[in-house]
Amino acid sequence: MQWKRAAAAAGAVVSLSAVTACTVDGTATRGPIQLDTGKYATSLQPAAGTADTESEMNRLRAMRLGEDIAFRDEVDPVLTKFSMPTYPISGASGLRGVFSDAADLPVSQKLRYGFTMAGGAPDDSDGKNLHQGLNHAVLVYPDAETAGEAVSAMSGQMLKKTYGSPMRRTDVPGMPAETVALTGKSSGGGQITVAFTPVAEKVVYTWADADDGGWTLAAVRSAFTKQKALLDAMKPISDDKRIDPNGLLRAVLLTESNGGSAFSGSVAGPRAISQLASKSTATFADLQKTGVTEAAVGGSLVFRSGGDDQAAELLKTLSDDSDDPTAKKADSPQDLPSAVCQTSKSSFGDDQATCFVAYGSYAAQADGSDLHEAQQKISAQYLLLKQL
């Protein structure tokens, strides 16, 4: 169930003990315990503090909105391939990955926050010649009037677009009367269906692209239906200014300069973090089963579960490679036999290694470009978890 990453460390060794028969994870050892943590920090990071500006608060609200966003495989079970854009949206600039022309519209300067997810069928080819693909977003404006203005402006802007053919107005059976729907041909010859629907101060946006035009209509309708049910049931977004109320981010490995994502440096709820997994619905169910309340994202993933036993169960779930034909079991790190490692291919086909570990009520995942790197990361991660 692991989250696959989109894209040779120093050999420093941290000595924990030189006493025979000491333990790291409850397993007796016969010699000095030495965890090879390489260049990775083994001290907790400083507390994250608070969001002191409206812009910073909207970034928090965007991630919190992720708890009420439909999953790709809820829209259609065939959509099990994670893709971008999937991220919290904070302000107009965040629209560039969704609908780039919309970011420069005057009404977009009034956008407060949002959340977008995307996915496709497994036989999609990195966004080219899409067979079945989806992009979906919920955008939050100051009021219903502004949301209606945004629907008019964004749909008007898209009507100016030409992909494989110019976009034009259409109807999607079963959608609300206030929906503005568009259609056209993709550059690969497939069918595009797009819908903008105002819901109070929010706009629900869905783009579907497939060889089968009927599928795009059904996907747009399904996305709205699933999303509307979540919006109807959602609680008000919290205005808690604390970026990391429980201090979980302190134990995440630092994001490297060439890595990271829009999730980095954030604490996400179980539904929001499940958006990063291919099979989001099943992943969310697993996180619920193990009592996960939050996950911290940085140079690693750290989960807070419901207790020690649930963290142990979560470790098994995270390291389950049964649905990954590229995965192969690999050696655990030096003197950390409780960690589980594997090598595989990333969602983009690159070689990668991943290790997992649990300690107390926490479980973590760390990725590396090779097994040694992943082993060093998870060893450092283990020491961080022990300090929480």
Side-chain angles (χ1 to χ4, degrees):
M1 189 192 75
Q2 66 268 26
W3 283 257
K4 288 199 168 189
R5 353 179 252 191
V13 174
V14 175
S15 177
L16 295 183
S17 175
V19 181
T20 300
C22 284
T23 63
V24 172
D25 58 358
T27 301
T29 63
R30 296 193 306 165
I33 295 170
Q34 293 181 308
L35 295 187
D36 178 4
T37 60
K39 64 182 180 180
Y40 302 102
T42 57
S43 297
L44 295 177
Q45 298 184 48
T50 59
D52 298 323
T53 67
E54 188 65 9
S55 176
E56 291 172 344
M57 272 305 305
N58 281 336
R59 187 173 188 273
L60 289 183
R61 294 176 181 126
M63 186 62 79
R64 292 165 184 170
L65 178 62
E67 292 302 290
D68 298 285
I69 301 298
F71 291 138
R72 62 185 69 83
D73 57 350
E74 282 181 317
V75 175
D76 190 319
V78 74
L79 298 174
T80 58
K81 183 179 180 180
F82 169 85
S83 66
M84 292 299 291
T86 299
Y87 58 84
I89 297 171
S90 179
S93 62
L95 288 174
R96 296 197 183 281
V98 181
F99 175 22
S100 59
D101 293 349
D104 297 323
L105 294 171
V107 71
S108 295
Q109 306 313 307
K110 301 177 184 179
L111 175 66
R112 297 178 64 208
Y113 58 92
F115 198 102
T116 179
M117 68 84 175
D123 56 354
D124 285 355
S125 179
D126 296 331
K128 299 177 181 178
N129 302 317
L130 286 176
H131 177 63
Q132 288 170 305
L134 182 86
N135 183 206
H136 176 77
V138 174
L139 308 173
V140 182
Y141 295 87
D143 48 50
E145 181 180 357
T146 307
E149 180 186 348
V151 167
S152 296
M154 287 191 291
S155 60
Q157 186 69 18
M158 189 165 280
L159 282 169
K160 300 176 183 178
K161 297 291 291 184
T162 296
Y163 298 96
S165 70
M167 298 295 285
R168 57 183 175 80
R169 293 288 293 265
T170 191
D171 291 318
V172 178
M175 293 290 284
E178 57 269 28
T179 295
V180 177
L182 311 175
T183 189
K185 291 290 185 181
S186 70
S187 57
Q191 189 71 30
I192 299 169
T193 300
V194 184
F196 301 86
T197 306
V199 178
E201 79 284 5
K202 303 176 182 70
V203 172
V204 178
Y205 162 87
T206 306
W207 164 296
D209 186 340
D211 294 337
D212 178 3
W215 182 86
T216 67
L217 293 172
V220 165
R221 183 171 54 250
S222 175
F224 179 78
T225 301
K226 301 292 186 183
Q227 186 60 67
K228 182 63 162 55
L230 288 166
L231 294 181
D232 287 345
M234 75 180 287
K235 298 176 181 179
I237 297 291
S238 171
D239 281 330
D240 187 343
K241 293 185 177 182
R242 292 175 296 170
I243 296 171
D244 180 23
N246 297 307
L248 196 60
L249 274 172
R250 296 176 302 147
V252 174
L253 295 178
L254 293 172
T255 301
E256 298 182 44
S257 59
N258 61 345
S261 70
F263 276 67
S264 293
S266 298
V267 175
R271 189 174 183 97
I273 200 65
S274 295
Q275 293 285 359
L276 296 182
S278 296
K279 297 180 180 179
S280 299
T281 300
T283 297
F284 180 55
D286 287 334
L287 297 186
Q288 287 184 306
K289 180 180 178 182
T290 53
V292 170
T293 56
E294 60 183 348
V297 186
S300 59
L301 279 172
V302 176
F303 301 86
R304 182 193 297 273
S305 74
D308 293 18
D309 290 344
Q310 288 178 302
E313 184 63 28
L314 179 58
L315 173 62
K316 295 178 183 178
T317 302
L318 290 171
S319 58
D320 180 6
D321 61 359
S322 60
D323 62 349
D324 184 354
T326 73
K328 296 180 180 179
K329 296 293 185 184
D331 292 337
S332 297
Q334 172 181 300
D335 284 339
L336 190 57
S338 64
V340 179
C341 296
Q342 59 191 233
T343 58
S344 63
K345 296 285 187 181
S346 76
S347 54
F348 294 95
D350 301 322
D351 289 333
Q352 73 169 18
T354 307
C355 292
F356 312 87
V357 77
Y359 182 83
S361 59
Y362 306 100
Q365 171 182 330
D367 298 324
S369 57
D370 56 39
L371 180 59
H372 187 220
E373 182 179 66
Q375 289 171 334
Q376 289 182 325
K377 283 185 174 182
I378 208 66
S379 296
Q381 183 65 77
Y382 175 82
L383 296 180
L384 292 170
L385 295 183
K386 290 188 69 176
Q387 298 171 60
L388 286 176

